[in-house]
Amino acid sequence: MQASKITAVPRTKQPAPMIDKDLDAEIIEPTEKGENLFKLAEKQLQRAFDVIAIDASLQTILKQPKNEIIIHFPVKLSTGKVQLFKGYRVQHNNILGPFKGGIRFHQNVYLDECKALATWMTWKCALQNLPFGGGKGGVKFDPSLHTKEDLEHITRRFTHALGNNIGPEWDVPAPDMGTNAQIMDWMMDTYSNIVSMSDKQSVKRVVTGKSTVCGGSPGREEATGRGIVHCITQWADEARFNLAGATLAVQGFGNVGSNTAKILSRMGASLIAVGDHTGYWRHPEGFNPYKLAEYVRQKGTLQGYPGGESMTRDEFFATKCDIFIPAALELQICEHEAKLMNCKVVVEGANGPTNVEGETILANRGIHIIPDILANSGGVVVSYFEWLQNKRSETWDIEDVRTRLETRMNNTYQMASEKARHLQIDMRTACYVIALERLQEVYARRGIWP
Ligand code: GLU
């Protein structure tokens, strides 16, 4: 009789299935705007190929990543449930050095997004003349729905599953959307526990963006924002524009958006509009970016911030301001938004925030764009400094890091600006040209084996 009772248990009371339906989702997903991010990366690359003569076989090589790794790994969550997670690591190119680029934790991570982001890292590192190639990865889940303990387990299990697919001279992850220094500390610790005892100390540089006590570089956290500000300063010098009294709109108030707004406010700029996925707010006299950042640190989002007046997404994009900084998700400035925008310069803190149609409209309307691979490259530049410090067992002081970052950002900006003037092309294509010429030179000398 008991046996028949067991078989009579309704299906809904069975343990949850191991594989979430999300994991089976089509891996080549378009975004909510219906555009696939890798297609955008391809179109941008093609524009550069149209401007300079790049060998046909090199074009073929650079159009696709070298390796695309997809991993399913189980984690026992604090609820007691075992959940299977989907993780990615795409390694685009390593002719200049180890693959380099962030790991993102986000519910919409998909393969073609990682492919695009890894490709952009190759151009970003080559543009900045760093001895790194391009990589990017992520885990498809919403970190805000998990406890700290779960985040640690997910991070450690993912790192373990990646195994030798990462390494200090092979592929060096860093923070990206949804990850931070704590996640990097766990990744480093896990990796150092899967190598031999005698290698434990020498593999610290397997990830960058760690906390300073665990070997991170001073100034790494603020580096992307600082790099953006150096670009804006260079642009302002060229445009004979005074940053004191400038108005600013920032989309996304995480690490990049908040640090940029804080530094610009110290230079006299005023943050008059701000927003994230929870909504948009305006404040004609200017928000206090320090208070906003503290609010986001405590609450996780801008939702409910007591100050400013709420507005629609369209109103946010239509804000009359001098500097507009997309520092949230990709594909935010498309045809619709570009027509609304009313600013002098768009500075791409996010990766891939503008699609080709949006970019054309902005250009026709005389709005300048400082492209992502230049604007937000301060992060990976200081990641390189961290990697170097770890390799040499050194700790640089913050002023040293800041000076080196400023020099590199300013020099690269000038080089890109000169290239754009010389070839009569936009800044993005100019940055691509510099990166591609560097890569082409190395491929030409090394050849293709065998
Ligand atoms: N995730 C950052 C980026 O997109 C930083 C990468 C790094 O430091 O390796 O540039």
Side-chain angles (χ1 to χ4, degrees), residues 100-102 121 124 136 172 174-176 208 220 351 376 379-380 383:
K100 185 84 191 81
M121 285 309 299
K124 201 183 292 186
K136 193 74 112 196
V172 184
D176 199 87
T208 58
R220 173 60 184 85
N351 289 306
N376 70 34
V380 73
S383 273

Side-chain angles (χ1 to χ4, degrees), residues 133-160:
K136 193 74 112 196
V139 183
K140 188 181 176 68
F141 79 108
D142 182 350
S144 71
L145 302 179
H146 289 272
T147 61
K148 188 171 178 192
E149 196 188 2
D150 284 350
L151 287 180
E152 176 173 355
H153 291 155
I154 295 164
T155 304
R156 287 190 185 276
R157 221 20 233 257
F158 179 50
T159 310
H160 183 265

Side-chain angles (χ1 to χ4, degrees), residues 208-377:
T208 58
K210 301 177 290 288
S211 65
T212 45
V213 289
C214 289
S217 176
R220 173 60 184 85
E221 209 168 302
E222 62 173 27
T224 311
R226 214 162 248 283
I228 289 173
V229 175
H230 293 315
C231 289
I232 293 174
T233 309
Q234 293 294 308
W235 164 81
D237 280 354
E238 283 183 352
R240 296 181 201 287
F241 177 79
N242 190 356
L243 287 175
T247 50
L248 182 69
V250 177
Q251 187 198 30
F253 220 71
N255 173 308
V256 178
S258 63
N259 275 300
T260 308
K262 283 182 195 172
I263 302 168
L264 282 174
S265 77
R266 295 204 290 271
M267 297 166 76
S270 165
L271 177 65
I272 59 164
V274 70
D276 64 11
H277 66 280
T278 64
Y280 294 91
W281 290 268
R282 67 163 78 90
H283 194 324
E285 273 97 64
F287 290 97
N288 179 333
Y290 292 86
K291 283 193 182 156
L292 273 179
E294 181 51 28
Y295 186 87
V296 172
R297 197 187 62 78
Q298 282 177 20
K299 309 264 175 178
T301 66
L302 288 168
Q303 195 167 27
Y305 183 72
E309 187 192 323
S310 105
M311 62 177 156
T312 64
R313 186 175 181 279
D314 277 4
E315 284 169 336
F316 172 75
F317 277 92
T319 302
K320 182 172 168 33
C321 60
D322 299 312
I323 303 162
F324 189 101
I325 303 177
L329 275 175
E330 52 250 19
L331 293 173
Q332 294 299 301
I333 307 176
C334 302
E335 203 176 334
H336 174 73
E337 293 81 5
K339 283 182 183 155
L340 296 173
M341 289 173 77
N342 191 0
C343 60
K344 294 189 171 66
V345 61
V346 171
V347 193
E348 295 182 336
N351 289 306
T354 315
N355 76 356
V356 172
E357 293 73 23
E359 181 156 8
T360 309
I361 293 167
L362 291 182
N364 290 339
R365 298 187 54 221
I367 298 174
H368 191 76
I369 298 177
I370 305 178
D372 47 8
I373 58 168
L374 172 61
N376 70 34
S377 61

